[in-house]
């Protein structure tokens, strides 16, 4: 069965420190992957996406992610966190298996807190 | 360029009642997906509509139904509401089978069932 795991429920980092949020998926077909961010009471904003090609992708707000097929991972990174980055982050995965592109499997999310 | 818009933003209903949520997709998009996000969880796929037909469905009971109109807007209907239906309902739009076109989400409708 298809699944997406974000092993860290809550992470706290100091402002200016680096950040890495983990995401792993399981399923045999070729995936396409996303990271979304959600502020309290809001919808989901797309940070970045990977469909094919270069496995290191750049997104908005200084975020980047690297797709590692051998590890079934798509970790999100940022070199220097800002207080405004505090939010909940969701990894989402779809699969090129003939299904619809709108059916994504989401992880349970990682809540990021930023210490001043 | 208007993004995905949803209405209403908040809704309170009583157990057993029926509810209709509405969504207008991003300009240029023809496909609408609905997701349910329970408190503290990631969004879960309910179903997707394209060309006014349900194209794919997640693991949700028949109490959840939908509709898409010729202008691509969509409705989500939930009958016989249960307390467990309390959640944020998110609408997302995209271009059908355009895998390079990511989902764009609205801000959601917060449904509370009492």
């Amino acid at each position: 069965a298809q699944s997406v795991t974000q092993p860290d429920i809550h992470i706290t980092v100091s402002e200016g420190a680096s950040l890495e949020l983990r995401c792993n998926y399981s399923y045999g077909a070729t995936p396409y992957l996303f990271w979304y961010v959600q502020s309290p009471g809001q919808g989901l904003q797309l940070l970045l996406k990977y469909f094919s090609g270069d496995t290191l992708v750049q997104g908005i707000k200084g975020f980047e992610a690297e797709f590692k097929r051998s590890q079934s991972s798509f970790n999100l990174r940022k070199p220097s966190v800002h207080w405004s980055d505090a939010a909940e982050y969701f990894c989402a995965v779809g699969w090129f298996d003939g299904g619809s592109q709108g059916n994504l499997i989401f992880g349970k999310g990682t809540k990021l807190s930023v210490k001043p | 360029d208007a993004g995905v818009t949803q209405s209403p933003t908040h809704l309170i209903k009583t157990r057993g009642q029926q509810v209709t949520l509405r969504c207008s997709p991003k300009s240029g998009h023809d496909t609408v997906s609905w997701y349910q996000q329970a408190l503290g969880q990631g969004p879960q796929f309910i179903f997707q509509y394209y060309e006014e037909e349900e194209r794919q469905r997640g693991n949700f009971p028949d109490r959840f139904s939908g509709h898409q109109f010729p202008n691509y807007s969509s409705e989500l209907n939930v009958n016989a509401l249960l307390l467990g239906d309390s959640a944020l309902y998110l609408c997302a739009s995209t271009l059908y089978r355009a895998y390079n076109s990511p989902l764009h989400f609205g801000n959601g409708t917060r449904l509370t069932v009492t």
Side-chain angles (χ1 to χ4, degrees):
Chain A
Q2 303 158 335
S3 67
V4 177
T5 302
Q6 293 181 243
D8 303 304
I9 297 174
H10 189 185
I11 285 181
T12 300
V13 299
S14 297
E15 191 168 15
S18 63
L19 170 71
E20 182 169 26
L21 303 183
R22 295 181 290 165
C23 173
N24 293 93
Y25 65 90
S26 67
Y27 192 58
T30 302
Y32 48 95
L33 309 110
F34 307 89
W35 276 98
Y36 286 89
V37 61
Q38 186 177 39
S39 298
Q42 299 295 309
L44 300 169
Q45 181 184 20
L46 179 68
L47 285 176
L48 48 77
K49 59 186 179 183
Y50 172 81
F51 289 96
S52 63
D54 191 348
T55 56
L56 183 64
V57 293
Q58 304 296 321
I60 63 170
K61 303 184 181 186
F63 286 93
E64 67 176 26
E66 186 171 13
F67 171 52
K68 294 185 177 180
R69 186 185 300 274
S70 62
Q71 298 176 20
S72 299
S73 69
F74 189 56
N75 294 347
L76 181 71
R77 299 192 293 252
K78 186 170 185 178
S80 177
V81 170
H82 188 262
W83 65 265
S84 61
D85 293 325
E88 188 140 26
Y89 292 79
F90 292 94
C91 177
V93 186
W95 282 271
F96 292 106
D97 60 356
S100 168
Q101 186 259 357
N103 179 4
L104 298 181
I105 307 297
F106 281 81
K108 291 188 175 182
T110 297
K111 183 178 180 180
L112 173 65
S113 298
V114 180
K115 292 190 300 185
Chain B
D1 179 18
V4 178
T5 58
Q6 293 185 243
S7 63
T9 54
H10 294 84
L11 207 49
I12 299 175
K13 290 288 188 177
T14 302
R15 191 171 43 185
Q17 286 187 318
Q18 178 264 343
V19 68
T20 298
L21 311 182
R22 296 176 175 82
C23 171
S24 292
K26 177 180 168 65
S27 177
H29 285 177
D30 56 10
T31 303
V32 172
S33 297
W34 287 92
Y35 286 78
Q36 180 196 65
Q37 186 179 18
L39 200 61
Q41 300 295 314
Q44 280 197 295
F45 176 74
I46 302 175
F47 43 53
Q48 182 187 70
Y49 276 83
Y50 169 67
E51 289 189 331
E52 303 178 48
E53 290 186 12
E54 182 182 295
R55 298 291 176 163
Q56 197 165 359
R57 189 178 184 92
N59 188 25
F60 279 81
D62 291 345
R63 297 188 298 108
F64 289 76
S65 64
H67 188 78
Q68 186 180 34
F69 300 93
N71 67 353
Y72 308 121
S73 66
S74 177
E75 289 181 349
L76 164 66
N77 301 292
V78 187
N79 295 322
L81 284 167
L82 303 174
L83 295 179
D85 295 331
S86 295
L88 181 68
Y89 288 84
L90 295 165
C91 172
S93 70
T94 187
L95 287 170
Y96 190 65
R97 289 198 184 271
Y99 290 104
N100 268 324
S101 171
L103 290 179
H104 289 256
F105 284 84
N107 284 335
T109 293
R110 172 72 62 187
L111 173 64
T112 302
V113 182
T114 63

